[in-house]
Amino acid sequence: MERILIVEDDEKIARVLQLELEFADYDVAIAYTGKEALQKFGEQDFDLILLDVMLPELNGLEVLRRIRIKDKAIKVIMLTARDAVTDKVSGLDSGANDYVTKPFEIEELLARIRVHLKAIQPQVVPVAHPLIYRNIRVDTNTREVYRDGTLINLTPKEYELLVYLLKNKNQALEREQIISKVWEYDYQGDTNVVDVYIRHLRKKLDKSKPSLISSVRGYGYMIKD
């Protein structure tokens, strides 16, 4: 659960923001002065700060300046009733990530919060395991195929056909089925196109007999152990 610090001296506004953010499943803390904001920032970890500009004790720009000395990455959205361009520029120049002018629609503020929090989420890259069969290795990340460690140049369709056969190893695959999956449409023409591509693959991949790709007479092809 992401944690948000609301820094707002108007208790009614702070309470409304707290209720809306908690309803959106955020963990929320409130500071009513600039000094209290710095104290809570130093004591707890937050993912984002909603920071009012006009604050007692220390104004929002000074709070932001001190926060940025310690943390360059935390997301900060400035909140203010002032809408002058110079005020917005001052906030952004001080290190704010965004600027929202009061009065604002809560839906817009929530949308901006989601955007900034999404930006700090680690991007999960799915791990693609290589496909290995005998002396053939297929790197599905780079779409590269190696035979005995030597790169083999395949056309896009040759590559997709090989991957489909490898992923369905030990299954007899009908020509129409191969066309449907590899060419990704209902092919109405001659299924000999599969035979042509299999012949190309065999020429590029096979160093000796028997072939890596077995023929299933009267049906199609397969790769089998």
Side-chain angles (χ1 to χ4, degrees):
M1 181 181 292
E2 293 97 342
R3 303 202 69 226
I4 297 177
L5 174 61
I6 299 171
V7 187
E8 169 62 67
D9 63 321
D10 188 316
E11 294 187 13
K12 290 184 179 179
I13 294 177
R15 180 56 178 163
V16 170
L17 287 173
Q18 180 186 20
L19 292 173
E20 293 286 354
L21 291 173
E22 288 179 343
F23 183 77
D25 290 329
Y26 295 111
D27 186 12
V28 179
I30 299 177
Y32 298 104
T33 70
K35 287 185 177 179
E36 185 183 5
L38 290 175
Q39 179 183 351
K40 290 193 174 183
F41 170 75
E43 295 173 348
Q44 304 174 49
D45 292 326
F46 295 98
D47 298 293
L48 183 142
I49 299 175
L50 296 178
L51 180 60
D52 191 22
V53 172
M54 302 299 293
L55 293 169
E57 298 180 356
L58 287 174
N59 67 49
L61 293 178
E62 178 60 21
V63 172
L64 177 58
R65 187 187 70 82
R66 299 189 187 188
I67 286 174
R68 283 293 180 238
I69 291 174
K70 297 182 177 180
D71 191 330
K72 304 291 186 184
I74 189 170
K75 303 300 181 180
V76 179
I77 299 177
M78 302 294 291
L79 304 176
T80 181
R82 292 190 279 180
D83 58 359
V85 173
T86 53
D87 293 327
K88 295 182 179 181
V89 170
S90 296
L92 296 172
D93 285 347
S94 298
N97 299 97
D98 207 345
Y99 204 106
V100 178
T101 303
K102 299 176 184 177
F104 50 80
E105 295 291 335
I106 190 64
E107 289 80 8
E108 178 188 357
L109 179 60
L110 289 172
R112 296 196 187 195
I113 289 172
R114 287 194 295 270
V115 168
H116 289 294
L117 289 178
K118 184 178 180 180
I120 65 175
Q121 296 299 317
Q123 299 300 309
V124 179
V125 179
V127 177
H129 298 287
L131 300 172
I132 299 174
Y133 177 72
R134 297 186 187 174
N135 62 338
I136 301 298
R137 182 181 186 275
V138 179
D139 188 329
T140 54
N141 279 323
T142 62
R143 294 175 64 91
E144 293 176 332
V145 178
Y146 296 87
R147 183 188 65 196
D148 294 324
T150 300
L151 180 65
I152 304 297
N153 292 318
L154 300 183
T155 67
K157 274 291 177 279
E158 289 171 352
Y159 169 84
E160 291 165 16
L161 175 57
L162 175 61
V163 168
Y164 182 64
L165 291 169
L166 286 172
K167 287 185 175 180
N168 294 276
K169 191 170 59 173
N170 297 320
Q171 295 183 48
L173 301 172
E174 194 175 12
R175 288 178 177 82
E176 289 80 1
Q177 179 184 355
I178 294 172
I179 286 177
S180 173
K181 296 298 183 181
V182 175
W183 276 260
E184 297 182 348
Y185 62 89
D186 293 329
Y187 186 76
Q188 301 297 326
D190 194 341
T191 57
N192 285 342
V193 65
V194 176
D195 302 327
V196 173
Y197 274 84
I198 292 292
R199 187 164 64 249
H200 291 168
L201 274 179
R202 284 172 168 168
K203 186 180 296 185
K204 292 181 179 182
L205 299 179
D206 293 340
K207 294 185 69 176
S208 60
K209 294 184 179 182
S211 173
L212 294 172
I213 303 171
S214 301
S215 298
V216 181
R217 189 168 182 175
Y219 191 79
Y221 297 94
M222 67 186 298
I223 288 179
K224 63 181 179 179
D225 291 329

